């Protein structure tokens, strides 16, 4: 146990020894981490896009955090490897050439004095590289905790809104007041914590401000999980070099965000991501064009731009918006307790009779649900009304949705326009609107 005592001389000697050889561990960890991040980067992005398209907010937030964290870590570790390579190269050059001998360069005194002042010595350059590499490696993982902290705050607001304001376990008035107070506290605490962070501890310096800020700091230390990485933060803040690097990285990240948002436009009117219409065909509406894992079907999907069969297969992916439209159209389907959102698949039920009865009730409600969907949605091809009943199915990319087939055997060959029409209630009247437009060509084999 003597060796694990942080106050013992032997433990400090061990840390000093490891510190001198830490660059080897840094390179090994960076190499494995970069390989893993490159492998996981694209799948994470695809899952994030799919979760966004499927409107699964909790899944989207989780993959969004992972994607941001992997992006930050990948950039920092690549920069770390480049700087470490430069450091190793500098060490090798020092072994061959020693320090810089400015007199041998035979420059004019103005340049010689300037370079001596700016460079000082080659050893100082190597020492600065070593400092940058070590601090950058440590800060790479600290930034991941900052992303996690920000996420925890956002999730706290979402949980308060979901389980206190909109939850059923408290009286409505009490839940609204308590939830509003908690959200105000979280927002004010988040703002003060951010001010304290960017000013590197300004709110902790004044005696009276610190007395007010301490309870907020204590709550947010658990809310942001800062107790896990607090020693690392304060070790940075008491070091001038570490603070300078943190301030340098912030504008670099901002610049990268701005640069990656740039895109070149080669037309004043035309774009690749226009919504399908009678004059534009977006690939998201054609099954044979959804070739990549990241390609997500649009509101309506047909097999191809060119249909050679006597029927037209149509798939509509399910979304929470569709369910909300069904509830607005048929309010009797709206449950007393909304089960949408994050839930556990673990269920404990010892009464099998009640479970069978519940399953039969759900099946009966599903039939009404599907009948309502069929009442809401219909089609037109050109000006010809088309009405076929949908069934529930698992469609492309294993998505839950609604499928039907329209008889187009009597259509003339050539271009046609499919219009998805949707009914909606506006006060006491029912209005029919066009929800999607998809062009296609019909030719007989």
């Amino acid at each position: 146990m003597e060796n694990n005592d942080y106050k013992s001389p032997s433990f400090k000697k061990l840390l000093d020894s490891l510190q001198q050889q830490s660059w080897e561990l840094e390179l090994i960890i960076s190499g494995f981490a970069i390989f893993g991040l490159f492998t996981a980067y694209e799948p994470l992005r695809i899952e994030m896009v799919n979760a966004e398209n499927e409107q699964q907010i909790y899944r989207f937030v989780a993959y969004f955090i992972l994607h941001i964290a992997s992006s930050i870590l990948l950039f920092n570790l690549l920069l770390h490897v480049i700087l470490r390579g430069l450091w190793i190269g500098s060490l090798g050059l020092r072994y061959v050439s020693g320090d810089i001998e400015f007199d041998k360069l035979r420059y004019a005194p103005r340049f010689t004095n300037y370079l001596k002042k700016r460079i000082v010595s080659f050893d100082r350059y190597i020492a600065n590289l070593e400092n940058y590499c070590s601090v950058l490696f440590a800060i790479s993982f600290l930034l991941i905790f900052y992303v996690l902290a920000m996420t925890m705050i956002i999730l706290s607001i979402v949980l308060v809104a979901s389980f206190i304001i909109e939850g059923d376990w408290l009286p409505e008035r009490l839940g609204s007041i308590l939830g509003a107070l908690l959200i105000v506290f979280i927002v004010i605490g988040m703002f003060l914590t951010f001010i304290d962070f960017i000013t590197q501890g300004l709110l902790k310096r004044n005696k009276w401000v610190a007395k007010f800020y301490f309870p907020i700091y204590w709550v947010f230390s658990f809310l942001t999980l800062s107790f896990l990485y607090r020693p690392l933060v304060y070790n940075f803040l008491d070091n001038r070099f570490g603070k300078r690097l943190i301030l340098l990285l912030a504008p670099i990240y901002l610049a990268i965000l701005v640069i990656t948002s740039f895109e070149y436009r080669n037309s004043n009117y035309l774009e690749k991501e226009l919504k399908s219409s009678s004059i534009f065909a977006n690939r998201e509406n054609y099954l044979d064009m959804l070739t990549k894992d990241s390609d997500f079907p649009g509101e309506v999907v047909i097999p191809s731009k060119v249909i050679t069969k006597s029927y037209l297969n149509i798939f509509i992916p399910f979304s929470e918006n569709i369910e909300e439209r069904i509830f607005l159209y048929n309010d009797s389907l709206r449950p007393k307790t909304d089960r949408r959102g994050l839930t556990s698949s673990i269920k404990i039920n010892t009464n099998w009779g009640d479970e069978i009865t519940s399953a039969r009730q759900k099946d009966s409600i599903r039939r009404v649900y599907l009948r309502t969907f069929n009442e809401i949605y219909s089609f037109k091809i050109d000006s010809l009304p088309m009405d076929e009943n949908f069934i529930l199915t698992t469609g492309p990319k294993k998505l839950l949705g609604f499928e039907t087939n329209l008889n187009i055997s009597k259509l003339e060959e050539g271009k046609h326009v499919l219009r998805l029409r949707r009914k909606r209630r506006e006060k006491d009247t029912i209005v029919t609107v066009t929800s999607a437009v998809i062009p296609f060509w019909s030719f007989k084999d």
Side-chain angles (χ1 to χ4, degrees), residues 205-313:
R205 292 171 190 158
N206 183 278
K207 179 181 178 182
W208 301 107
V209 174
K211 185 177 289 188
F212 166 76
Y213 177 61
F214 180 78
I216 296 174
Y217 170 80
W218 185 82
V219 171
F220 271 75
S221 67
F222 291 96
L223 200 61
T224 62
L225 306 178
S226 66
F227 59 89
L228 295 174
Y229 53 90
R230 188 181 294 141
L232 195 60
V233 174
Y234 289 108
N235 209 337
F236 274 116
L237 294 180
D238 73 355
N239 182 278
R240 183 181 176 186
F241 192 85
K243 287 196 292 186
R244 191 165 58 189
L245 184 60
I246 291 175
L247 293 174
L248 178 66
L249 284 173
I252 290 176
Y253 291 140
L254 183 61
I256 291 172
L257 182 64
V258 172
I259 290 170
T260 53
S261 68
F262 288 150
E263 60 179 18
Y264 183 82
R265 293 184 180 272
N266 53 13
S267 173
N268 287 298
Y269 306 105
L270 306 181
E271 297 178 20
K272 292 189 295 184
E273 299 302 325
L274 289 174
K275 191 175 181 180
S276 287
S277 65
S278 59
I279 61 170
F280 185 83
N282 192 309
R283 67 200 308 269
E284 69 177 9
N285 298 118
Y286 304 96
L287 183 59
D288 60 351
M289 297 185 72
L290 302 176
T291 54
K292 299 178 182 177
D293 291 336
S294 58
D295 291 341
F296 196 87
E299 187 176 356
V300 185
V301 183
I302 63 176
S304 177
K305 291 178 184 175
V306 179
I307 305 298
T308 58
K309 297 179 180 178
S310 60
Y311 62 91
L312 178 62
N313 180 266

Side-chain angles (χ1 to χ4, degrees), residues 15 31 42 69 83 106 147 152 166 182 194 202 220 222 242 248 267 286 300 413 422:
L15 290 180
E42 187 61 19
L83 291 179
R106 292 184 295 178
V147 173
M152 293 296 292
E166 297 180 359
L182 284 174
F194 179 71
L202 178 65
F220 271 75
F222 291 96
L248 178 66
S267 173
Y286 304 96
V300 185
E413 292 189 342
R422 173 170 59 87

Side-chain angles (χ1 to χ4, degrees), residues 2-16:
E2 180 71 20
N3 291 335
N4 293 329
D5 183 6
Y6 70 94
K7 294 182 180 179
S8 68
S10 60
F11 186 74
K12 292 183 178 180
K13 186 176 179 181
L14 174 64
L15 290 180
D16 290 337

